[in-house]
Amino acid sequence: MISIDKNLCNNCGICVAICPRRILRLGGESAAVTDQALCMVCGHCKAVCPNDAPGFTMGNEDFEPLSQKEKILSPSDFLHFIRRRRSIRQYKEEPIEKEKLAMTIQAGRYSPSGGNRQACEFTVISGRKILDEVCTLAIQQLLSEAQVIREIFDRHERFKEPIPEEYIARKVLPSVWERIGRAWEGGQDQLLFHAPSLIVIHLNEGSATTGVIDAGIASMNMIYMAETLGLGACYIAFLVWAVQGSKALQTFLKIPAGNRLHIAFTVGYPKVKYLRLVARRPAKITWLGDS
Ligand SMILES: Cc1cc2nc3c(=O)[nH]c(=O)nc-3n(C[C@H](O)[C@H](O)[C@H](O)COP(=O)(O)O)c2cc1C
């Protein structure tokens, strides 16, 4: 719920102009809310008001004053920061301090989300005992999915049955997952890389219109935060698919009924030091208009 403090509002109209839902208007002694139900509590009105007149039912203390002299990262420093991040697949055994994990979650919490729905929920799984159980269940699931994929490609070879579109890019996965399964039997964790922690992001399907995108954005911010804390991370899509297909894993991870898991990443102190940045393909860009 948003309200405008009539005693503080000076009718300047800055909030009216910035409101993305167009639910503020001038005309009386102060700005007024025309449709509470449409407010997405994005807080733009409060963040620009010179008199701090708008207020919300909760969270007003989070609107800390922003210095106009504040320096942000230079573009080249920022690009360098982006380029130096790598997927870390070798971790020290050292556990991660809880404050660092909490700070990483904060970066997810402050991420943008469609309609400001803020539906992402975070589960942090730490310690090898529980992570080994996650690996066992996930690898079982991946191996059974590997069989399904193999059968689809076999039937295609033998009877020319069409390959469903979503399976085309999955051709190599059975051999990758079977390799991960063999390594696991030999004591090697090639799924979660013996990481000390795993973070997963899930959200209630009915509570967001842009769930996958929201979870993706939150996770990237979290991984950059982890980098600033001296940690490294690696996205694990294989675990996401395993959880999506396995009730046993959903129960084990205490994912609430109705929630869908979209993101998983390992996190820990990197064992490896990178000495060079990375190359990427040139960007495919289409410039339209006056650019
Ligand atoms: C959505 C997504 C899913 C990924 N899933 C996995 C995975 O299951 N296992 C893995 O080892 N790496 C995974 N990765 C890491 C990619 O292989 C990696 O980002 C890519 O090779 C580029 O390397 P870099 O991250 O070190 O720059 C994933 C990356 C993304 C963005």
Side-chain angles (χ1 to χ4, degrees), residues 13-199:
I14 297 176
C15 62
V16 175
I18 205 161
C19 173
R21 287 273 165 95
R22 301 282 182 260
I23 57 160
L24 298 174
R25 68 168 165 75
L26 294 179
E29 50 183 311
S30 75
V33 184
T34 59
D35 191 344
Q36 279 287 355
L38 281 185
C39 177
M40 51 179 180
V41 196
C42 68
H44 279 254
C45 54
K46 188 172 176 68
V48 296
C49 176
N51 295 334
D52 199 16
F56 298 98
T57 323
M58 280 167 32
N60 292 307
E61 63 289 349
D62 262 7
F63 287 81
E64 293 161 58
L66 199 51
S67 160
Q68 298 309 299
K69 292 192 189 116
E70 194 176 25
K71 278 217 167 72
I72 55 167
L73 275 175
S74 76
S76 58
D77 282 352
F78 186 50
L79 188 61
H80 183 83
F81 182 63
I82 289 172
R83 290 186 69 196
R84 71 190 293 287
R85 180 219 55 85
R86 302 310 310 272
S87 293
I88 299 302
R89 299 183 180 88
Q90 288 170 279
Y91 296 101
K92 294 183 183 162
E93 275 178 30
E94 212 175 317
I96 305 171
E97 299 83 340
K98 198 147 186 195
E99 311 80 69
K100 290 196 176 183
L101 290 167
M103 194 66 176
T104 302
I105 303 281
Q106 287 290 71
R109 178 182 161 229
Y110 280 110
S111 299
S113 56
N116 197 30
R117 285 191 179 80
Q118 302 176 49
C120 287
E121 296 174 38
F122 309 93
T123 301
V124 184
I125 307 122
S126 295
R128 280 316 305 184
K129 190 169 172 287
I130 185 167
L131 287 169
D132 282 353
E133 292 187 62
V134 172
C135 271
T136 302
L137 288 170
I139 290 168
Q140 266 169 17
Q141 177 64 22
L142 292 175
L143 291 177
S144 76
E145 285 182 28
Q147 258 181 312
V148 174
I149 299 173
R150 280 206 189 286
E151 276 163 27
I152 287 173
F153 280 91
D154 275 359
R155 282 205 302 273
H156 173 71
E157 299 261 302
R158 296 214 316 250
F159 312 117
K160 296 282 164 269
E161 274 184 28
I163 299 163
E165 202 175 334
E166 70 272 23
Y167 279 89
I168 293 170
R170 299 190 194 172
K171 190 171 184 181
V172 298
L173 292 180
S175 44
V176 174
W177 293 342
E178 283 153 10
R179 186 253 299 150
I180 291 175
R182 283 192 301 276
W184 184 240
E185 278 175 16
Q188 285 296 310
D189 174 6
Q190 294 184 3
L191 181 70
L192 305 179
F193 312 113
H194 300 281
S197 287
L198 171 77
I199 298 181

Side-chain angles (χ1 to χ4, degrees), residues 85-87 89 191 193 234-239 278 280:
R85 180 219 55 85
R86 302 310 310 272
S87 293
R89 299 183 180 88
L191 181 70
F193 312 113
C234 185
Y235 280 105
I236 311 292
F238 295 166
L239 186 79
V278 68
R280 294 283 202 234

